């Protein structure tokens, strides 16, 4: 099933290989029989098509059983690289590091604990510290021909001292074509781990006056370029921030204040408008040694305070803040703050490399299925479409697009839920999610029309999405020089077009 709805076609077959050798066998057999294959790592590409192939008639290759950390005994602070198979999940790697090398963490995404590292990176997902693609190199790929290639210096063999440490190798770097590509099945890769810094704090910056949004974005961009904000800077609109808080706040009111679900729901809106009243609010991390963090915070405050209220969030602040506000929860203001701290706590942990299911639990709760585990979102009625434009780091240009996207959303009776993520020193991406009830055909249709109109809007501004849903491929991949060249590459790696036909490539 897919939460895009209507997209999923019954697969011809589902293979669940548990080793490289089995993948090789599957591809070689498919190559002979011309059976098309659609590989995925954990298949939780929620909002992008989950495990749905782009065109019908594919057999699925579910790689989740290939979940070994191949160099587990060699990972250390001096060797911060994990060689992982596609089925390794965020939770698995986080647990492994906690147990075996707690000085290391990694670039965690806000998707659930059971999502993969590699599948996410291969679709060019974005984690708390930046694009996952930048953390991955040394890929091992079974190509559509049934041949095997290793990129970078992994081609020298696993025993070479360069195999797992040098990200580029010698000669043309071909790693890039396997990200958002359909040239083969990636069976393992090197994944960069991150040494923990002595001090890690979050900085929340709430925009005071919405008419300064463009200047606010530009200043945040400068802070990122100057290396003062060390994570991705997330800038959420009010709808997004309030929606993120809803589940945790309501749960706090039910479990800690003894409210009935109805009363908790009614009070949650009031509490959220007390703690998150701002049209736009931003969150980023500052990491370093104590002196570096202190100096960075001083400069951030100096530069951003004219636009935003700045708050530095530390674990201690959350502990003390919660203890005090929770004790005073009979006062509405304190209760609202205690509920908010309760709600943001797991999100704050993302910065520490601890993955969480709360974002998906939030959706399950909205659609009345809190009984389901996060990985079963597709079994609920929650429909989800992501529309994700890549954006220049130019406040004025970005505000123009946002204004128009708001009009498009409203014309389809949708609220614009939007986060702007400053992910590189020169560009950012927006994440917009459209939610709908999949059991209501009218809602499904309306959400898809809205997504189509948003794509048209983005393009009117000369922009494109940075990541595409399976159902968008036909609009994204066009018959022009760029995509024709990509198709020619397919003839080298997979001449019979058996791997994920139509995925970020011309279908035939
Ligand atoms: C509430 C919520 C929050 C989210 N937050 C984030 C976030 O913070 N960041 C983010 O990036 N995404 C986010 N997502 C989107 C999505 O859930 C994640 O990107 C998730 O990690 C993708 O699923 P997966 O890891 O199972 O990848 P998969 O579904 O396994 O892989 C994605 C695609 O990559 C290709 N692929 C995967 N593995 C291979 C392979 N071994 N060989 C060849 N091709 C392969 C396939 O085409 C596959 O469809 C979020 C979704 C929701 C609902």
């Amino acid at each position: 099933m897919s939460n895009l709805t209507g997209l999923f076609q019954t697969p011809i077959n589902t293979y669940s290989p548990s080793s490289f050798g089995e993948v090789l066998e599957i591809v070689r057999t498919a190559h002979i029989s011309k059976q098309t294959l659609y590989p995925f790592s954990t298949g939780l590409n929620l909002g992008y098509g989950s495990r749905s192939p782009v065109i019908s008639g594919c057999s699925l290759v579910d790689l989740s059983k290939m979940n070994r950390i191949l160099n587990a005994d060699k990972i250390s602070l001096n060797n911060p690289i994990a060689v992982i198979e596609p089925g390794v999940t965020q939770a698995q790697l986080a647990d492994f590091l906690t147990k075996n090398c707690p000085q290391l963490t990694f670039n965690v995404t806000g998707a659930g604990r059971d999502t993969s590292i590699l599948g996410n990176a291969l679709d060019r997902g974005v984690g708390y510290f930046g694009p996952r693609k930048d953390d991955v190199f040394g890929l091992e790929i079974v190509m559509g021909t049934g041949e095997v290639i290793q990129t970078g210096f992994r081609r020298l063999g696993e025993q070479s001292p360069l195999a797992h440490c040098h990200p580029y190798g010698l000669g043309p770097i071909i790693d890039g074509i396997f990200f958002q590509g359909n040239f083969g099945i990636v069976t393992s890769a090197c994944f960069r781990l991150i040494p923990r810094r002595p001090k890690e704090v979050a900085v929340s910056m709430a925009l005071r006056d919405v008419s300064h949004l463009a200047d606010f974005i530009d200043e945040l961009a400068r802070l990122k370029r100057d290396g003062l904000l060390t994570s991705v800077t997330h800038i959420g609109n009010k709808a997004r921030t309030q929606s993120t808080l809803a589940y945790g706040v309501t749960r706090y009111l039910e479990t800690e204040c003894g409210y009935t679900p109805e009363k908790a729901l009614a009070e949650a809106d009031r509490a959220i408008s007390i703690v998150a009243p701002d049209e736009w609010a931003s969150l980023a991390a500052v990491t370093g040694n104590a002196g570096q963090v202190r100096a960075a915070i001083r400069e951030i405050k100096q530069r951003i305070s004219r636009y935003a209220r700045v708050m530095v969030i530390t674990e201690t602040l959350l502990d003390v803040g919660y203890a005090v506000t929770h004790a005073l929860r009979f006062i509405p203001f304190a209760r609202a703050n205690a509920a908010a701290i309760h709600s943001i706590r797991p999100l704050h942990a993302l910065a520490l490399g601890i993955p969480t299911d709360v974002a998906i639990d939030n959706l399950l709760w909205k659609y009345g299925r809190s009984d389901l585990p996060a990985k079963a979102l597709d079994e609920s009625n929650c429909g989800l479409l992501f529309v994700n434009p890549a954006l220049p780091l130019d406040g004025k240009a970005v505000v123009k697009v946002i204004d128009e996207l708001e009009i498009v959303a409203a014309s389809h009776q949708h609220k614009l839920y939007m986060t702007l993520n400053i992910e590189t020193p020169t560009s950012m991406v927006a994440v917009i999610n459209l939610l709908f009830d999949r059991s209501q055909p009218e809602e499904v249709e309306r959400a898809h029309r809205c997504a189509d109109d948003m794509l048209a809007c983005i393009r009117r501004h000369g922009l494109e999405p940075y990541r595409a849903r399976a159902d968008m491929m036909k609009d994204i991949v066009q018959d022009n020089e760029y995509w024709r060249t990509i198709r020619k590459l397919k003839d080298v790696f997979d001449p019979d077009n058996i791997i994920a036909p139509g995925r970020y490539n011309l279908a035939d």
Side-chain angles (χ1 to χ4, degrees), residues 13 15 109 140 155 192 222 239 246 284 286 408 410 413 447 454 482:
N13 219 328
Y15 301 106
T109 74
E140 175 185 73
R155 70 181 164 80
R192 194 173 62 88
R222 284 190 285 272
V286 179
V408 173
Q413 294 96 53
M454 284 185 166
Y482 181 78

Side-chain angles (χ1 to χ4, degrees), residues 221-274:
R222 284 190 285 272
L223 291 173
K224 169 82 179 175
R225 270 197 291 271
D226 293 347
L228 293 162
L229 297 172
T230 42
S231 69
V232 169
T233 305
H234 303 268
I235 315 166
N237 71 357
K238 191 173 176 174
R240 167 55 63 83
T241 308
Q242 295 198 340
S243 157
T244 303
L245 291 173
Y247 169 59
V249 166
T250 311
R251 228 174 44 161
Y252 171 84
L253 294 171
E254 280 179 36
T255 56
E256 303 298 324
C257 303
Y259 284 24
T260 61
E262 297 72 32
K263 191 171 168 206
L265 210 55
E267 162 124 354
D269 280 347
R270 274 195 298 277
I272 291 170
S273 58
I274 291 173

Side-chain angles (χ1 to χ4, degrees), residues 331-346:
I331 305 169
F333 182 76
R335 191 161 61 242
N337 278 282
I341 296 172
H342 175 86
S343 184
I344 64 166
R345 194 110 222 194

Side-chain angles (χ1 to χ4, degrees), residues 7-180:
L7 188 68
F8 188 77
Q9 311 94 12
T10 315
I12 303 294
N13 219 328
T14 299
Y15 301 106
S16 302
S18 51
S19 67
F20 165 79
E22 284 177 33
V23 175
L24 200 57
E25 181 67 31
I26 291 164
V27 175
R28 287 187 173 162
T29 308
H31 180 56
I32 292 164
S33 65
K34 308 285 181 268
Q35 170 60 55
T36 50
L37 302 173
Y38 191 79
F40 56 82
S41 291
T42 45
L44 292 169
N45 213 11
L46 308 167
Y48 297 100
S50 296
R51 49 182 62 190
S52 304
V54 176
I55 62 168
S56 58
C58 293
S59 287
L60 302 183
V61 183
D62 175 352
L63 299 157
S64 60
K65 282 195 193 149
M66 288 179 68
N67 61 358
R68 287 178 309 155
I69 301 172
L70 297 173
N71 65 339
D73 55 336
K74 298 203 177 69
I75 295 172
S76 71
L77 203 49
N78 292 328
N79 183 35
I81 297 292
V83 184
I84 53 172
E85 290 187 325
V88 171
T89 63
Q90 301 209 99
Q92 184 186 346
L93 187 59
D95 292 348
F96 172 85
L97 291 176
T98 305
K99 194 159 158 228
N100 299 290
C101 199
Q103 309 95 317
L104 291 174
T105 179
F106 66 98
N107 186 12
V108 170
T109 74
R113 290 172 54 77
D114 295 320
T115 58
S116 71
I117 311 279
L118 270 190
N120 172 274
L122 291 171
D123 208 26
R124 298 243 298 269
V126 179
Y128 194 84
F129 287 107
R132 272 259 176 91
K133 175 190 166 296
D134 296 349
D135 302 321
V136 174
F137 62 93
L139 282 69
E140 175 185 73
I141 304 126
V142 178
M143 299 182 279
T145 53
E147 294 159 306
V148 179
I149 187 173
Q150 287 95 11
T151 68
F153 279 135
R154 263 189 104 188
R155 70 181 164 80
L156 299 179
E158 301 299 298
Q159 301 314 319
S160 163
L162 290 174
H164 305 147
C165 67
H166 193 286
Y168 310 123
L170 178 73
I173 302 170
I174 58 169
D175 299 45
I177 65 166
F178 299 102
F179 294 84
Q180 296 189 349

